[in-house]
Amino acid sequence: MYEWIKALHVIAVIAWMAGMLYLPRLFVYHCEAEIGSRQSETFKIMERRLLKAIINPAMIVTWLAGLYLAWSGHWYTSGWFHGKFALVLAMSGVHGFFSRCVKDFAADRNARSQKFYRIINEVPTLLMILIVILVVVKPF
């Protein structure tokens, strides 16, 4: 069963990361759209659906499967796992921030620039790289 849960975990992580990398790109383009325009309304739909249909469920499955793996594999006693856990908490915080941004765009209250979203788009990538290194290399 452990291997099946691990496969599910990896699939969920891939889906979560795909959404976390795509959503801020949508924000970049949404910034260019005039408030109330057809384009802006289309971005609102795309952002909401991406968050609700892909990113949120993928994060939940990632967490549930990951906690099962940590518990059943006794990884919670390993130093690398503590680092990974902290980084996954940070990724979840970024997820929460992106969720807030979706709400702000939906209410036409975005106060951030394209440049901000271009920069913040790199945060999930950096976190993902560090998490993968910890999981694969297990440096401590």
Side-chain angles (χ1 to χ4, degrees):
M1 188 65 155
Y2 183 89
E3 297 301 324
W4 284 102
I5 300 296
K6 187 192 297 186
L8 177 65
H9 181 66
V10 170
I11 293 165
V13 168
I14 291 168
W16 187 21
M17 288 310 306
M20 291 290 286
L21 297 173
Y22 184 48
L23 188 58
R25 294 306 306 166
L26 289 176
F27 296 156
V28 168
Y29 302 127
H30 196 161
C31 285
E32 295 176 350
E34 185 177 323
I35 292 176
S37 68
R38 186 174 186 175
Q39 186 180 31
S40 177
E41 296 306 309
T42 299
F43 279 122
K44 289 177 187 181
I45 292 167
M46 292 171 68
E47 292 158 358
R48 185 185 75 246
R49 287 181 180 170
L50 179 61
L51 184 67
K52 301 289 184 186
I54 296 173
I55 301 175
N56 287 347
M59 182 192 73
I60 292 166
V61 173
T62 296
W63 268 99
L64 292 175
L67 289 172
Y68 171 83
L69 293 170
W71 183 258
S72 64
H74 303 285
W75 297 115
Y76 55 87
T77 62
S78 303
W80 68 266
F81 176 78
H82 296 163
K84 176 194 176 187
F85 190 77
L87 293 171
V88 174
L89 283 173
M91 184 75 76
S92 298
V94 173
H95 178 132
F97 174 74
F98 287 172
S99 296
R100 184 73 199 144
C101 292
V102 168
K103 290 177 185 176
D104 288 345
F105 273 110
D108 296 321
R109 288 189 313 244
N110 175 53
R112 294 179 178 86
S113 68
Q114 287 181 2
K115 184 176 181 180
F116 173 83
Y117 291 115
R118 287 181 197 278
I119 293 168
I120 200 77
N121 188 46
E122 303 308 321
V123 173
T125 303
L126 179 61
L127 291 170
M128 176 189 63
I129 290 167
L130 295 172
I131 290 166
V132 169
I133 289 170
L134 286 173
V135 170
V136 174
V137 178
K138 294 179 177 63
F140 47 87

Coordinates of all heavy atoms in Angstrom, one line a residue, residues 53-92:
A53 N -10.6 23.6 -8.8 CA -10.7 22.3 -9.4 C -9.3 21.6 -9.4 O -9.3 20.3 -9.5 CB -11.2 22.4 -10.8
I54 N -8.2 22.3 -9.4 CA -6.9 21.6 -9.5 C -6.0 21.9 -8.2 O -5.6 21.0 -7.5 CB -6.2 22.0 -10.7 CG1 -7.0 21.6 -12.0 CG2 -4.7 21.5 -10.8 CD1 -6.4 22.1 -13.3
I55 N -5.8 23.2 -8.0 CA -4.8 23.5 -6.9 C -5.2 23.0 -5.5 O -4.5 22.4 -4.8 CB -4.4 25.0 -7.0 CG1 -3.8 25.4 -8.3 CG2 -3.4 25.3 -5.9 CD1 -3.6 26.9 -8.5
N56 N -6.4 23.4 -5.1 CA -6.9 23.0 -3.8 C -7.0 21.5 -3.6 O -6.4 21.0 -2.6 CB -8.2 23.7 -3.5 CG -8.1 25.2 -3.2 OD1 -7.0 25.7 -3.0 ND2 -9.3 25.9 -3.2
P57 N -7.6 20.8 -4.5 CA -7.7 19.3 -4.3 C -6.3 18.7 -4.3 O -6.0 17.8 -3.5 CB -8.5 18.8 -5.5 CG -9.3 20.0 -5.9 CD -8.5 21.2 -5.6
A58 N -5.4 19.2 -5.2 CA -4.1 18.6 -5.3 C -3.3 18.8 -4.0 O -2.6 18.0 -3.5 CB -3.3 19.2 -6.5
M59 N -3.5 20.0 -3.4 CA -2.8 20.3 -2.1 C -3.3 19.4 -1.0 O -2.5 18.8 -0.2 CB -3.0 21.8 -1.7 CG -2.2 22.1 -0.4 SD -2.6 23.6 0.3 CE -4.2 23.3 1.0
I60 N -4.6 19.2 -1.0 CA -5.2 18.3 0.1 C -4.7 16.9 -0.1 O -4.3 16.3 0.9 CB -6.7 18.4 0.0 CG1 -7.2 19.8 0.4 CG2 -7.4 17.3 0.9 CD1 -8.7 20.1 0.1
V61 N -4.7 16.4 -1.3 CA -4.2 15.0 -1.5 C -2.7 14.9 -1.2 O -2.2 14.0 -0.6 CB -4.5 14.5 -2.9 CG1 -3.9 13.2 -3.2 CG2 -6.0 14.4 -3.1
T62 N -1.9 15.9 -1.6 CA -0.5 16.0 -1.3 C -0.3 15.9 0.2 O 0.5 15.1 0.7 CB 0.1 17.3 -1.8 OG1 0.0 17.3 -3.2 CG2 1.6 17.4 -1.4
W63 N -1.0 16.7 1.0 CA -0.8 16.7 2.4 C -1.3 15.4 3.1 O -0.5 14.8 3.9 CB -1.7 17.8 3.1 CG -0.9 19.1 3.2 CD1 -0.8 20.2 2.4 CD2 0.1 19.3 4.3 NE1 0.0 21.1 2.9 CE2 0.6 20.6 4.1 CE3 0.5 18.6 5.4 CZ2 1.6 21.2 4.9 CZ3 1.4 19.2 6.2 CH2 2.0 20.5 6.0
L64 N -2.4 14.8 2.7 CA -2.9 13.6 3.3 C -2.0 12.4 2.9 O -1.6 11.7 3.8 CB -4.3 13.3 2.8 CG -5.4 14.3 3.3 CD1 -6.8 13.9 2.7 CD2 -5.5 14.3 4.8
A65 N -1.6 12.3 1.7 CA -0.7 11.2 1.3 C 0.7 11.4 2.0 O 1.3 10.4 2.4 CB -0.6 11.1 -0.2
G66 N 1.1 12.6 2.0 CA 2.4 12.9 2.6 C 2.5 12.6 4.1 O 3.5 12.0 4.6
L67 N 1.4 13.0 4.8 CA 1.4 12.7 6.2 C 1.3 11.1 6.5 O 2.0 10.6 7.4 CB 0.2 13.4 6.9 CG 0.3 14.9 7.0 CD1 -1.0 15.5 7.5 CD2 1.5 15.3 7.9
Y68 N 0.6 10.4 5.6 CA 0.6 9.0 5.7 C 2.0 8.4 5.5 O 2.4 7.5 6.3 CB -0.4 8.4 4.7 CG -0.3 6.9 4.6 CD1 -1.0 6.1 5.5 CD2 0.5 6.3 3.7 CE1 -0.9 4.7 5.5 CE2 0.6 4.9 3.6 CZ 0.0 4.1 4.5 OH 0.1 2.7 4.5
L69 N 2.7 8.9 4.5 CA 4.0 8.4 4.2 C 5.0 8.7 5.3 O 5.8 7.8 5.7 CB 4.5 9.0 2.9 CG 3.8 8.6 1.6 CD1 4.2 9.4 0.4 CD2 3.9 7.1 1.3
A70 N 4.9 9.9 5.8 CA 5.8 10.3 6.9 C 5.5 9.4 8.2 O 6.5 9.0 8.8 CB 5.6 11.7 7.3
W71 N 4.3 9.1 8.4 CA 3.9 8.3 9.6 C 4.3 6.8 9.4 O 5.0 6.3 10.2 CB 2.5 8.4 9.9 CG 2.1 7.7 11.1 CD1 1.4 6.5 11.2 CD2 2.3 8.0 12.5 NE1 1.3 6.1 12.5 CE2 1.8 7.0 13.3 CE3 2.9 9.1 13.1 CZ2 1.9 7.1 14.7 CZ3 3.0 9.2 14.5 CH2 2.5 8.2 15.2
S72 N 3.9 6.3 8.3 CA 4.1 4.8 8.1 C 5.6 4.5 7.8 O 6.0 3.4 8.1 CB 3.2 4.3 7.0 OG 3.5 4.9 5.8
G73 N 6.3 5.5 7.2 CA 7.7 5.3 6.9 C 8.6 5.7 8.0 O 9.8 5.6 7.9
H74 N 8.0 6.3 9.1 CA 8.8 6.8 10.2 C 9.8 7.9 9.8 O 10.8 8.1 10.4 CB 9.5 5.7 11.0 CG 8.6 4.6 11.5 ND1 7.8 4.8 12.5 CD2 8.3 3.4 11.0 CE1 7.0 3.7 12.7 NE2 7.4 2.8 11.8
W75 N 9.4 8.6 8.7 CA 10.3 9.7 8.2 C 10.3 10.9 9.2 O 11.2 11.7 9.1 CB 9.9 10.1 6.8 CG 10.0 9.0 5.8 CD1 9.0 8.4 5.1 CD2 11.2 8.4 5.4 NE1 9.5 7.5 4.3 CE2 10.9 7.4 4.4 CE3 12.5 8.6 5.7 CZ2 11.8 6.6 3.8 CZ3 13.5 7.8 5.1 CH2 13.1 6.8 4.1
Y76 N 9.3 11.0 10.0 CA 9.1 12.2 10.9 C 10.3 12.3 11.9 O 10.5 13.3 12.5 CB 7.8 12.2 11.6 CG 7.5 10.9 12.4 CD1 8.0 10.8 13.7 CD2 6.8 9.9 11.8 CE1 7.7 9.6 14.4 CE2 6.6 8.7 12.5 CZ 7.1 8.6 13.8 OH 6.8 7.4 14.5
T77 N 11.1 11.3 12.0 CA 12.2 11.3 12.9 C 13.5 11.8 12.2 O 14.5 12.0 12.8 CB 12.5 9.9 13.5 OG1 12.8 9.0 12.4 CG2 11.3 9.4 14.3
S78 N 13.4 12.0 10.9 CA 14.6 12.3 10.1 C 14.8 13.8 9.9 O 13.8 14.5 9.7 CB 14.5 11.7 8.7 OG 14.4 10.3 8.8
G79 N 16.0 14.3 10.0 CA 16.3 15.7 9.8 C 15.8 16.3 8.5 O 15.3 17.4 8.4
W80 N 16.1 15.6 7.4 CA 15.7 16.1 6.1 C 14.2 16.3 6.0 O 13.7 17.2 5.4 CB 16.2 15.1 5.0 CG 15.5 13.8 5.0 CD1 15.9 12.6 5.6 CD2 14.2 13.5 4.4 NE1 15.0 11.6 5.4 CE2 13.9 12.1 4.6 CE3 13.3 14.2 3.6 CZ2 12.8 11.5 4.2 CZ3 12.1 13.5 3.2 CH2 11.9 12.2 3.5
F81 N 13.5 15.4 6.7 CA 12.0 15.5 6.7 C 11.6 16.8 7.4 O 10.6 17.4 7.0 CB 11.3 14.3 7.3 CG 9.8 14.5 7.4 CD1 9.0 14.3 6.3 CD2 9.2 14.9 8.6 CE1 7.7 14.5 6.3 CE2 7.8 15.1 8.6 CZ 7.1 14.9 7.5
H82 N 12.2 17.2 8.5 CA 11.9 18.4 9.2 C 12.0 19.6 8.3 O 11.2 20.5 8.2 CB 12.7 18.5 10.4 CG 12.4 17.5 11.4 ND1 13.2 17.2 12.5 CD2 11.4 16.6 11.6 CE1 12.8 16.2 13.2 NE2 11.6 15.8 12.7
G83 N 13.1 19.6 7.5 CA 13.4 20.7 6.5 C 12.3 20.6 5.4 O 11.7 21.7 5.1
K84 N 12.0 19.5 4.9 CA 10.9 19.3 3.9 C 9.6 19.8 4.5 O 8.9 20.6 3.8 CB 10.8 17.9 3.4 CG 9.7 17.7 2.4 CD 9.3 16.3 2.2 CE 8.1 16.2 1.3 NZ 7.6 14.9 1.1
F85 N 9.3 19.4 5.7 CA 8.0 19.8 6.3 C 7.9 21.3 6.4 O 6.9 21.9 6.1 CB 7.9 19.2 7.6 CG 6.5 19.3 8.2 CD1 5.5 18.5 7.8 CD2 6.3 20.2 9.3 CE1 4.2 18.6 8.4 CE2 5.0 20.3 9.8 CZ 4.0 19.6 9.4
A86 N 9.0 22.0 6.8 CA 9.0 23.5 6.9 C 8.8 24.1 5.5 O 8.0 25.1 5.4 CB 10.3 23.9 7.5
L87 N 9.4 23.5 4.5 CA 9.3 24.1 3.1 C 7.9 23.8 2.6 O 7.3 24.7 1.9 CB 10.3 23.5 2.2 CG 11.8 23.9 2.5 CD1 12.7 23.1 1.7 CD2 12.0 25.4 2.3
V88 N 7.3 22.7 2.9 CA 5.9 22.4 2.5 C 4.9 23.4 3.2 O 3.9 23.8 2.6 CB 5.5 20.9 2.7 CG1 4.1 20.7 2.3 CG2 6.4 20.1 1.8
L89 N 5.2 23.7 4.5 CA 4.4 24.7 5.2 C 4.5 26.0 4.5 O 3.5 26.7 4.3 CB 4.8 24.8 6.6 CG 4.4 23.7 7.6 CD1 5.0 23.9 8.9 CD2 2.9 23.7 7.7
A90 N 5.7 26.4 4.0 CA 5.9 27.6 3.3 C 5.1 27.6 2.0 O 4.5 28.6 1.6 CB 7.4 27.9 3.1
M91 N 5.2 26.5 1.3 CA 4.5 26.3 0.0 C 2.9 26.5 0.3 O 2.2 27.1 -0.5 CB 4.7 25.0 -0.6 CG 4.1 24.8 -2.0 SD 4.9 25.7 -3.3 CE 6.3 24.7 -3.5
S92 N 2.5 25.9 1.4 CA 1.1 26.1 1.7 C 0.7 27.5 2.0 O -0.4 28.0 1.7 CB 0.7 25.2 2.9 OG 1.0 23.8 2.6

